[in-house]
Amino acid sequence: MNRLVLGAIFVGVFAAGLVASMPLGVALAWTGAGESGLSASAVSGSIWNGRIEDMRLRGFRFGTVEARLDPFGLLTGTSRVHLQSRDGEAVLVKGRSEGLDGADAIVDLAALVLAMPVEGVVRLQGATVLFETGRCSKAAGHLVADIAHGKWKGPPLAGELVCDGALAVAKLSGSGAGAEVTLAFSVDANARYILQSRVTSSNSALRLALSLAGFEEGEGGMQRSDQGRLGT
């Protein structure tokens, strides 16, 4: 084995050892996690066993999160941060593709800061949303939502995540509580979203309440469209 090969092996082993012993805070800064909207009040531990206090991602508050990085991903230019909290787990991806991978978690709708004043939670089941060069490259997984608007608690909603051009789209639907509800939620690589809501019901009191809440009569039921930026 010549000196050039030995030198390359030495450099590779040294780089791997350097990455493996790196503090989590340094690794996150190195990978540019802040550019993806991740912030925290404190970061401690190593890339193998780290802790992020008061973690926020694009304005969403996750609280205290246990975190670890894939060191081999760092060597290839892609960071994969495994996150876990009492509400679930997911992998934050930054590199050629950016987004979330394999998320199994419960998200409080209040954390999304939607223009439409709704309450409730969304359960992510194997949810993946990745963008590449500003376009949706992969969207998959199942969503289940329990949503309330004012005093009206809507029926359970369920749907799938898919890519539609540059957008990641979730279409959820369900029936019950005297209504049929359909939600189409789309988001782009910059966290700009459009939420289209439709409720079909023969209940006059519910239709009046929806009208007062900004819904308008349209083809197929009462409709409302909202847009904004997640977490702001």
Side-chain angles (χ1 to χ4, degrees):
M1 188 177 295
N2 61 40
R3 293 182 179 179
L4 183 60
V5 174
L6 285 173
I9 293 175
F10 173 79
V11 171
V13 171
F14 176 77
L18 184 63
V19 169
S21 62
M22 186 179 297
L24 178 62
V26 174
L28 291 177
W30 183 32
T31 59
E35 298 172 6
S36 298
L38 189 150
S39 63
S41 61
V43 179
S44 59
S46 70
I47 66 169
W48 300 107
N49 184 20
R51 187 181 181 90
I52 303 176
E53 305 282 351
D54 190 24
M55 175 184 153
R56 300 190 183 200
L57 181 62
R58 293 192 182 276
F60 311 153
R61 177 174 287 179
F62 289 87
T64 298
V65 175
E66 305 298 324
R68 60 183 175 84
L69 275 73
D70 177 356
F72 301 104
L74 292 177
L75 292 174
T76 60
T78 297
S79 68
R80 291 178 61 85
V81 187
H82 296 254
L83 306 169
Q84 185 167 9
S85 73
R86 63 182 182 181
D87 293 324
E89 59 183 337
V91 177
L92 177 63
V93 180
K94 181 173 175 54
R96 184 174 180 181
S97 295
E98 298 187 12
L100 288 177
D101 189 18
D104 289 292
I106 298 175
V107 178
D108 190 332
L109 287 173
L112 300 180
V113 195
L114 300 175
M116 182 178 176
V118 293
E119 300 175 344
V121 297
V122 177
R123 295 171 179 83
L124 310 179
Q125 300 173 351
T128 293
V129 177
L130 295 174
F131 293 92
E132 186 175 330
T133 62
R135 295 181 62 83
C136 181
S137 58
K138 183 178 180 180
H142 189 66
L143 306 180
V144 178
D146 296 311
I147 297 176
H149 181 78
K151 296 182 179 180
W152 181 68
K153 186 180 187 305
L157 306 178
E160 308 297 320
L161 278 164
V162 297
C163 281
D164 185 1
L167 305 175
V169 180
K171 295 182 179 180
L172 296 88
S173 61
S175 60
E180 293 184 3
V181 180
T182 301
L183 299 180
F185 183 83
S186 60
V187 62
D188 67 11
N190 296 310
R192 292 188 294 263
Y193 74 86
I194 297 176
L195 173 61
Q196 295 176 312
S197 311
R198 184 178 68 195
V199 180
T200 303
S201 176
S202 58
N203 186 316
S204 58
L206 174 58
R207 293 168 66 86
L208 175 60
L210 291 171
S211 178
L212 294 174
F215 283 75
E216 297 181 352
E217 190 74 47
E219 184 178 353
M222 305 290 290
Q223 300 180 21
R224 172 171 168 158
S225 181
D226 297 276
Q227 57 184 317
R229 187 183 179 94
L230 292 177
T232 59

